[in-house]
Amino acid sequence: MYLSAIFILDSNGKVLIFRNYRGDIETNAIDRFWQLFTEREDESSLTPIIQNDDITFIYLKCNNIFLVAMTKINTNSTLVLSFLFKITNVFCEYFKKLEEESVRDNFVIIYELLDEFIDFGLPQTTDSKILQEYITQKSHTISETKLPPAVTNAVSWRGENIKYKINEVFMDAIESVNVLVSSSGNVMRSEIVGQLKMRVYLSGMPELRLGLNDKIQLEDVKFHQCVRLSRYENDRSISFIPPDGEFELMSYRLSTPQIRPLFQIEAKIERFSHSRVEYLVKAKSQFRKQSTAHDVEIIVPVASDVDGAKFKTSNGYCKYIPEKNCFVWRVKSFPGGKEYLIRAHFNLPSVESEEVDAKRPIQIKFEIPYFTTSGLQVKFLKIIEKSGYAATPWVRYLSKNGDYEFRTS
């Protein structure tokens, strides 16, 4: 991935800061970007990529500013966008909020960061922990000309001489489930998005080895830079020297067209002479009986002009939220293999909004601890350190909702 320049613009297209890394693009080329962007602004669909002659503009809008990367070389636009997102995250680490005012107040430190992000068009480090070792917000200048060991070491993401009284590793395997079910009960779309998040409190320079069950085929796997990819490609084991503290070790996705929904929602809506409307909603958990979902919320849309809400539930409690045109059924604890019902009654004085509630799907929110929808499991998590100290690994599993929706007839 090569970048010729990066520009930061205000909401009117005025240049606030820029760095021209390769000198192969005139700085006034940014004027072409703003002209092309404003011409496209009224289109129904916009992409973050604009091509003009031999220049490609890849941009990201954050609050009231634009980050624009420019290149004359054929490059992977997805990687460039990911790089721009990382840049914004680093800026937010320094300034809390990235906007025009914070950019104008921190010109010096932004120039320093831009110089560290990229060297002659090639991305370098975007690890905020490393950058904060020698670029500080207080001084806005590089405190020393000598780079910290973390930058020059082979393991740039971990500092040296880290010590803890108690050595522990926490791993969370979190899966978010996206499901869209038709009014007839057919699964129209299903997807699992997973993450392995870690909190590492280990002394020295430990090596961790992680093994996962091989019964599932993970897609779109992305690893933290600390993972030795060659070993994973050979035997599917994950070996790495971890950063200190919190980080995301791995993310993945599974497209599962035949997935059985963890919850099944059935809704019957009955109107009576345009004077009242009644809802009968049935929720059934379809996961194993040993598991329990916590903090379940079932959000049912209603017409905008209903009033006089009355509810009767077999479990949990319900609340009408008029500002969102819905009622929310909350069940604190929902074991697997259970079925609960709710009846809701509303007065309906108007007929104009009669079909509003039918156009929006029912949504459900939940968390199921000690459970992964895909069946992913950690077979082992070993900690190897030359001093041989004792360390405790902890692994937790969690499945939760992503976009989990049920259409009503």
Side-chain angles (χ1 to χ4, degrees), residues 167-178:
N167 293 283
E168 294 179 305
V169 175
F170 299 88
M171 172 177 284
D172 292 330
I174 302 171
E175 291 189 342
S176 299
V177 187
N178 301 321

Side-chain angles (χ1 to χ4, degrees), residues 112-124:
E112 292 177 0
L113 289 169
L114 289 174
D115 287 339
E116 297 300 327
F117 290 149
I118 297 177
D119 182 16
F120 195 62
L122 291 170
Q124 302 299 304

Side-chain angles (χ1 to χ4, degrees), residues 95-354:
F95 319 133
K96 293 186 178 180
K97 188 174 183 181
L98 182 58
E99 56 186 9
E100 183 178 339
E101 184 177 353
S102 63
V103 171
R104 292 186 182 278
D105 290 342
N106 294 278
F107 274 179
V108 173
I109 197 169
I110 291 176
Y111 275 122
E112 292 177 0
L113 289 169
L114 289 174
D115 287 339
E116 297 300 327
F117 290 149
I118 297 177
D119 182 16
F120 195 62
L122 291 170
Q124 302 299 304
T125 182
T126 55
D127 191 317
S128 60
K129 290 183 179 179
I130 295 174
L131 291 167
Q132 287 174 3
E133 290 185 38
Y134 59 100
I135 298 180
T136 65
Q137 190 173 5
K138 291 181 180 179
S139 64
H140 288 191
T141 57
I142 299 178
S143 55
E144 295 182 4
T145 56
K146 182 182 178 181
L147 295 179
V151 176
T152 56
N153 283 352
V155 185
S156 63
W157 52 86
R158 185 177 179 88
E160 296 182 342
N161 302 319
I162 298 174
K163 294 182 180 180
Y164 287 98
K165 290 184 179 180
I166 300 176
N167 293 283
E168 294 179 305
V169 175
F170 299 88
M171 172 177 284
D172 292 330
I174 302 171
E175 291 189 342
S176 299
V177 187
N178 301 321
V179 170
L180 176 62
V181 180
S182 70
S183 58
S184 60
N186 296 322
V187 177
M188 302 173 64
R189 174 178 59 85
S190 61
E191 179 185 57
I192 297 171
V193 179
Q195 297 171 299
L196 296 186
K197 293 188 174 182
M198 301 198 70
R199 287 175 292 150
V200 176
Y201 308 108
L202 296 175
S203 304
M205 194 67 70
E207 178 184 353
L208 273 64
R209 295 179 183 174
L210 170 67
L212 304 175
N213 60 327
D214 53 6
K215 293 182 180 180
I216 56 176
Q217 295 295 322
L218 304 179
E219 305 168 22
D220 294 344
V221 178
K222 296 179 182 177
F223 289 109
H224 188 276
Q225 61 176 327
C226 67
V227 174
R228 296 187 177 96
L229 296 179
S230 58
R231 180 168 293 182
Y232 178 77
E233 291 171 355
N234 288 335
D235 59 12
R236 285 296 185 262
S237 66
I238 302 172
S239 175
F240 58 99
I241 297 174
D244 185 45
E246 297 184 16
F247 68 100
E248 183 180 288
L249 175 67
M250 169 184 170
S251 65
Y252 59 90
R253 183 181 63 86
L254 286 92
S255 297
T256 53
Q258 302 302 321
I259 188 174
R260 186 186 185 192
L262 298 173
F263 285 90
Q264 184 64 42
I265 305 295
E266 297 179 12
K268 182 180 179 182
I269 305 171
E270 190 172 1
R271 295 177 178 82
F272 298 88
S273 302
H274 307 303
S275 61
R276 71 182 194 277
V277 59
E278 290 187 358
Y279 293 78
L280 174 61
V281 181
K282 179 169 65 176
K284 182 179 181 181
S285 55
Q286 301 188 135
F287 46 89
R288 64 189 185 188
K289 294 182 179 179
Q290 298 91 330
S291 298
T292 300
H294 296 163
D295 301 320
V296 178
E297 290 189 1
I298 299 170
I299 304 163
V300 183
V302 298
S304 59
D305 55 355
V306 300
D307 59 14
K310 295 179 182 178
F311 305 104
K312 185 177 181 180
T313 68
S314 61
N315 198 323
Y317 65 97
C318 199
K319 183 178 181 181
Y320 172 46
I321 306 179
E323 62 271 20
K324 295 185 178 180
N325 297 327
C326 70
F327 65 87
V328 180
W329 177 18
R330 294 184 173 93
V331 181
K332 191 69 176 176
S333 179
F334 204 132
K338 291 289 185 178
E339 181 177 295
Y340 298 130
L341 298 171
I342 182 173
R343 290 184 182 273
H345 173 99
F346 294 91
N347 295 326
L348 188 62
S350 170
V351 298
E352 294 181 0
S353 301
E354 187 175 340

